[in-house]
Amino acid sequence: MGNIEDIVDSLESKISKVLHKLELLRLENSKLSEAIATSQQELKNQKLLVASWEEKYEALKLANSMLGSDDNKRETKLKINALIRDIDHCIAQLSE
């Protein structure tokens, strides 16, 4: 009978260790999930910041070309033509 008790005690000990390890893994998983969420939010913020800077850069490029910069004259003409087409389209819709 002592042999069975030893086996049961050994199993209880192993189950206890497994349950403890499971709890540790759950805690680590929770921490990692929080870290992922934080990183994703930071990435989203960085993407918004980059988009904002790109928009400012394009506006600056357009302003420079309107001031007589030779580098972007073609782009400026295309942009102005696109704006004129948009305005014409809006006027056509309003006149209907």
Side-chain angles (χ1 to χ4, degrees), residues 44-63:
K44 184 179 178 182
N45 291 341
Q46 291 297 321
K47 284 182 178 181
L48 289 173
L49 185 62
V50 166
S52 170
W53 280 109
E54 285 175 348
E55 192 175 307
K56 289 177 183 180
Y57 172 72
E58 289 300 319
L60 183 60
K61 233 171 50 171
L62 183 62

Side-chain angles (χ1 to χ4, degrees), residues 8-83:
V8 170
D9 287 342
S10 174
L11 284 174
E12 285 178 353
S13 174
K14 289 179 182 179
I15 290 172
S16 175
K17 288 177 183 178
V18 168
L19 290 175
H20 179 65
K21 185 161 188 154
L22 176 66
E23 186 61 30
L24 290 175
L25 289 173
R26 283 185 179 157
L27 288 173
E28 184 179 359
N29 189 24
S30 175
K31 288 178 184 178
L32 290 173
S33 293
E34 289 176 17
I36 287 172
T38 302
S39 295
Q40 287 175 338
Q41 184 61 40
E42 288 177 10
L43 178 62
K44 184 179 178 182
N45 291 341
Q46 291 297 321
K47 284 182 178 181
L48 289 173
L49 185 62
V50 166
S52 170
W53 280 109
E54 285 175 348
E55 192 175 307
K56 289 177 183 180
Y57 172 72
E58 289 300 319
L60 183 60
K61 233 171 50 171
L62 183 62
N64 281 338
S65 63
M66 287 182 177
L67 291 173
S69 172
D70 291 335
D71 297 337
N72 301 319
K73 280 190 179 181
R74 183 175 185 283
E75 270 185 57
T76 303
K77 288 178 184 178
L78 292 173
K79 184 74 171 177
I80 290 171
N81 286 338
L83 290 172

